[in-house]
Amino acid sequence: MATVTTPILEEYAGGTIARAQVGLWRDGFRRLRRNRLALAALIYLTVLVLVAIIAIFWTPYNPATILPNTLTFLGPSAGHPLGTDDLGRDLLSRMMQGAQISLIVGVGTSAIVLTVGVVVGLIAGYFRGWIDNVISVFINIFYGIPGILVAIILYLILGHGLGNIMIAISATAWMDMARLVRGQAFSIREREYIEAARASGARSGKILFGHILPNSLGPIIVQATFVIPIAILTEAFLSYLGLGIPSPLASWGSIASEGYAALPLEPYMMLWPAVALSLTLLAFNFLGDGLRDAFDPRQRR
Amino acid sequence: MPTRGTLIYIAQRLLLIVFTLLAVSFLVFITVHSLPGSAFESERVHGKALQLVLHQYGLDRPILVQYWSFLTSAIQGNLGVSFQIRGLPITPLVMRELSVSAELGGTALLITIGIGTTFGVLAAMRQNTWVDYTLTSIAVVGYSVPSFVLAGLGELIFAYWLPTVTNGAIQYPANWTGTYGTLVELSLPAIILGFYTSGQVTRITRAAMLEVLQQDYIRTARAKGLKTRVVTVRHALRNALIPVISILGPLVISIITGSVIIENIFGIPGLGKEFVESILGADYNVTVAVFTVYALLIGIANLIVDLLYTVVDPRIRY
């Protein structure tokens, strides 16, 4: 039931105000639009994505270049709106590159988690039996192991690189998604419409991806949205420790770390990544909350 | 009195913890041994001398044999010796660091529950007013602002702008003077760590309070003429705390994860700092030991929380 289709018979509808049928998605987006915080978050994130896209083609200066004749720790000025860092690199350019990296890591990790978690969860919840037992025991054994510890070890093994940092963060994050999807598949496969689909000869693949997945999309999207800030925060922390994105690439985490080192000299250098990270994480969390209220009505607070 | 079912449940859970420890220690052991670099690289020992050192620490044996000897001595409480600080026994080291982390984490847990339940109750009592919106927004801000950002801000304020407030006890760059730190030194990291997780408690408490306040027995209590404060605290809050206990498990995990970050920022000599240092120094035994201790802590914390749940809510049986 991807749409709320309550057929109202003519004679039934007589006394009531027959409300126009609204699909789940349109209904959800209507609720999302009314949520001002979520809307503000969406606008902020759109701007951030635009900045990241612009940074592919153009930044005021080369973010990695140590500019000749430029002073280090230059305060904000017309030439350098956010100032320069400890090596005399333009901070606005570096922040723009950082936005790119944060978004790639956040969305990329979420995509990996989504793919792995959905496939594993669907298989476990739909086929049950030994395969579910194996998956559930595996998840139960590793449930609760702090993701950041695993990410640190894995990232050092895999070596530097954006792809590797996403894999390292996904290594534990997929399990929450798999648990969620498994639970959804578990309950949805008992519904009458699944029985009807099976009776009319639908194959497992069709039932899984044509019926069970669309009907659990709400909670899945919400969960996938919440993975993004977790991934961004983990990457920022790894880079803060010097274990993340290698220099001279700029990550908000590494700029914050350099800013922390320069804190008594120039507090503003820590200020930019601090504000950017906080706002971005806040926006993704507000958006996730809004999506949950809009698309996952059973969980509504 | 624990029933037979409860005892079987506890036994099952303990078995799961044992499996977790075996799996985690094995995987981490294998993984860290494949890390590039070694603890002896910087020592300028080569050739025969290196062979000798490796032999001394048993590192020239097949990896499975190494794991087996680690496991057999770990069961007897001996976690092996450190490579970085040559021959230092790890068990007492880890125990001391565990107590430091527990001091930080325990304080943070108290702060989290204190802030979270207070905010949650206040928000629920004033639902859909500016009080509610402010408190729930603070909750989201709490877990959105990275702790290293708060740490930097805190140090800027207390080490540079207002050093007189703490009498100069909070230094920049942050580093604990003693093993356990003074109360002032402890306060800033513990508050930042506690604030980070308090948001979850606020939300759960608020939602639970809203639900409980709708119950018939609350109306009855009010109808009896009890004061709002008595109804809130004795009738509503008590029942609203049940869901809060259910998230204590994830909360402990969040605090442990957060403490890894906080300890590294504030230079707190706990497990989290040791973990990062041991990985960077290729001190395999320490890495495996710290990771296994974390897994054990989390397993036990989850078990205690589940059992606590049956105590506060007798309807739940295992």
Side-chain angles (χ1 to χ4, degrees):
Chain A
M1 290 198 302
T3 49
V4 184
T5 49
T6 324
I8 301 167
L9 298 172
E10 287 296 326
E11 58 264 35
Y12 252 95
T16 59
I17 303 163
R19 186 182 157 205
Q21 284 182 20
V22 180
L24 171 76
W25 297 109
R26 197 193 284 179
D27 197 35
F29 280 118
R30 198 170 47 89
R31 279 196 290 258
L32 189 63
R33 266 205 307 276
R34 274 198 306 228
N35 185 334
R36 282 200 203 139
L37 275 178
L39 208 60
L42 207 56
I43 293 170
Y44 168 81
L45 291 174
T46 312
V47 172
L48 191 70
V49 169
L50 285 178
V51 168
I53 291 174
I54 291 171
I56 301 175
F57 307 105
W58 177 83
T59 48
Y61 298 86
N62 184 335
T65 311
I66 297 164
L67 301 166
N69 308 324
T70 303
L71 294 171
T72 57
F73 294 130
L74 207 64
S77 64
H80 303 277
L82 301 186
T84 58
D85 71 359
D86 52 339
L87 298 174
R89 294 172 295 193
D90 180 52
L91 272 174
L92 176 61
S93 310
R94 292 183 69 72
M95 286 298 295
M96 286 172 76
Q97 189 174 51
Q100 234 174 10
I101 285 178
S102 283
L103 285 175
I104 291 173
V105 169
V107 175
T109 307
S110 184
I112 298 175
V113 166
L114 194 67
T115 315
V116 178
V118 164
V119 170
V120 174
L122 279 181
I123 289 173
Y126 183 72
F127 293 107
R128 300 192 182 174
W130 66 270
I131 195 159
D132 177 37
N133 287 335
V134 170
I135 292 170
S136 297
V137 165
F138 183 87
I139 291 180
N140 274 331
I141 283 180
F142 292 102
Y143 177 69
I145 298 300
I148 198 140
L149 302 183
V150 178
I152 292 175
I153 293 186
L154 271 186
Y155 187 56
L156 285 176
I157 289 186
L158 294 169
H160 287 308
L162 267 179
N164 289 342
I165 214 165
M166 292 187 237
I167 295 171
I169 301 171
S170 307
T172 49
W174 68 272
M175 287 192 271
D176 280 325
M177 180 65 90
R179 273 167 93 99
L180 172 89
V181 177
R182 175 180 172 273
Q184 292 280 330
F186 227 85
S187 67
I188 291 177
R189 84 187 286 265
E190 300 302 324
R191 302 276 174 83
E192 287 84 355
Y193 57 88
I194 300 295
E195 208 176 318
R198 208 175 293 136
S200 59
R203 289 166 196 276
S204 292
K206 169 74 183 162
I207 293 176
L208 274 176
F209 293 99
H211 294 280
I212 294 183
L213 186 57
N215 279 292
S216 42
L217 266 185
I220 292 176
I221 290 174
V222 172
Q223 175 75 16
T225 311
F226 282 123
V227 170
I228 299 177
I230 293 171
I232 291 179
L233 187 58
T234 310
E235 182 276 318
F237 178 64
L238 286 178
S239 295
Y240 185 87
L241 282 184
L243 300 171
I245 301 299
S247 182
L249 268 182
S251 150
W252 287 347
S254 58
I255 300 174
S257 163
E258 289 153 13
Y260 177 77
L263 201 59
L265 294 168
E266 281 300 348
Y268 72 84
M269 192 177 155
M270 174 119 194
L271 185 72
W272 309 133
V275 170
L277 265 172
S278 304
L279 279 180
T280 307
L281 297 174
L282 208 57
F284 275 115
N285 280 326
F286 277 137
L287 183 65
D289 284 345
L291 285 174
R292 176 167 52 205
D293 293 348
F295 289 105
D296 195 3
R298 270 164 298 178
Q299 279 224 357
R300 209 179 308 162
R301 291 173 292 159
Chain B
M1 200 52 221
T3 60
R4 192 159 163 273
T6 313
L7 289 177
I8 291 174
Y9 177 76
I10 295 175
Q12 282 175 341
R13 288 290 299 268
L14 287 175
L15 200 67
L16 186 68
I17 292 177
V18 172
F19 269 118
T20 306
L21 292 184
L22 282 175
V24 163
S25 65
F26 180 72
L27 281 179
V28 176
F29 197 92
I30 301 286
T31 325
V32 291
H33 276 75
S34 63
L35 272 175
S38 103
F40 307 105
E41 220 160 54
S42 58
E43 299 283 321
R44 293 204 204 102
V45 271
H46 297 293
K48 243 191 167 151
L50 182 65
Q51 285 305 315
L52 200 70
V53 176
L54 289 181
H55 181 73
Q56 206 183 334
Y57 286 92
L59 287 170
D60 53 349
R61 296 172 298 167
I63 191 145
L64 288 178
V65 178
Q66 287 187 43
Y67 177 69
W68 181 250
S69 75
F70 163 79
L71 195 63
T72 44
S73 61
I75 289 169
Q76 296 161 34
N78 176 8
L79 291 165
V81 292
S82 163
F83 303 147
Q84 272 190 314
I85 310 165
R86 291 294 162 77
L88 182 79
I90 294 173
T91 309
L93 177 80
V94 165
M95 291 307 281
R96 195 190 69 221
E97 286 163 349
L98 176 62
S99 64
V100 175
S101 291
E103 181 198 27
L104 172 70
T107 317
L109 189 64
L110 289 180
I111 292 172
T112 286
I113 295 174
I115 297 180
T117 50
T118 312
F119 279 20
V121 170
L122 289 178
M125 300 296 290
R126 300 270 180 278
Q127 192 194 1
N128 293 333
T129 64
W130 65 270
V131 180
D132 184 18
Y133 297 137
T134 312
L135 292 178
T136 42
S137 299
I138 290 177
V140 187
V141 171
Y143 56 76
S144 295
V145 180
S147 44
F148 55 80
V149 167
L150 288 180
L153 191 67
E155 285 194 36
L156 191 64
I157 293 174
F158 291 111
Y160 278 94
W161 293 345
L162 303 166
T164 44
V165 175
T166 60
N167 235 338
I170 291 172
Q171 294 285 319
Y172 168 89
N175 226 331
W176 278 19
T177 40
T179 310
Y180 293 101
T182 61
L183 199 61
V184 181
E185 283 176 332
L186 174 69
S187 61
L188 189 58
I191 289 172
I192 291 175
L193 183 55
F195 182 56
Y196 169 67
T197 43
S198 68
Q200 301 170 33
V201 185
T202 303
R203 303 179 121 201
I204 298 277
T205 313
R206 180 181 174 276
M209 269 305 267
L210 286 178
E211 204 178 316
V212 170
L213 286 173
Q214 307 259 317
Q215 301 290 320
D216 289 342
Y217 57 79
I218 297 294
R219 199 177 5 167
T220 311
R222 284 211 183 109
K224 277 199 306 189
L226 293 180
K227 281 180 188 141
T228 314
R229 208 171 57 93
V230 178
V231 176
T232 314
V233 176
R234 198 176 297 165
H235 295 259
L237 184 60
R238 267 195 181 184
N239 288 295
L241 283 183
I242 295 173
V244 175
I245 288 169
S246 76
I247 63 150
L248 270 182
L251 210 60
V252 169
I253 297 173
S254 298
I255 286 189
I256 287 178
T257 308
S259 74
V260 177
I261 301 174
I262 289 282
E263 282 177 18
N264 279 288
I265 297 168
F266 281 94
I268 296 168
L271 284 177
K273 187 158 177 268
E274 185 66 71
F275 180 80
V276 173
E277 278 171 5
S278 72
I279 279 225
L280 292 178
D283 204 344
Y284 310 140
N285 282 351
V286 178
T287 312
V288 178
V290 173
F291 207 113
T292 313
V293 169
Y294 272 134
L296 180 65
L297 272 182
I298 288 165
I300 293 175
N302 275 328
L303 179 57
I304 291 176
V305 167
D306 283 357
L307 293 178
L308 203 61
Y309 210 37
T310 62
V311 176
V312 292
D313 191 349
R315 287 170 297 185
I316 294 167
R317 291 244 172 279
Y318 293 115

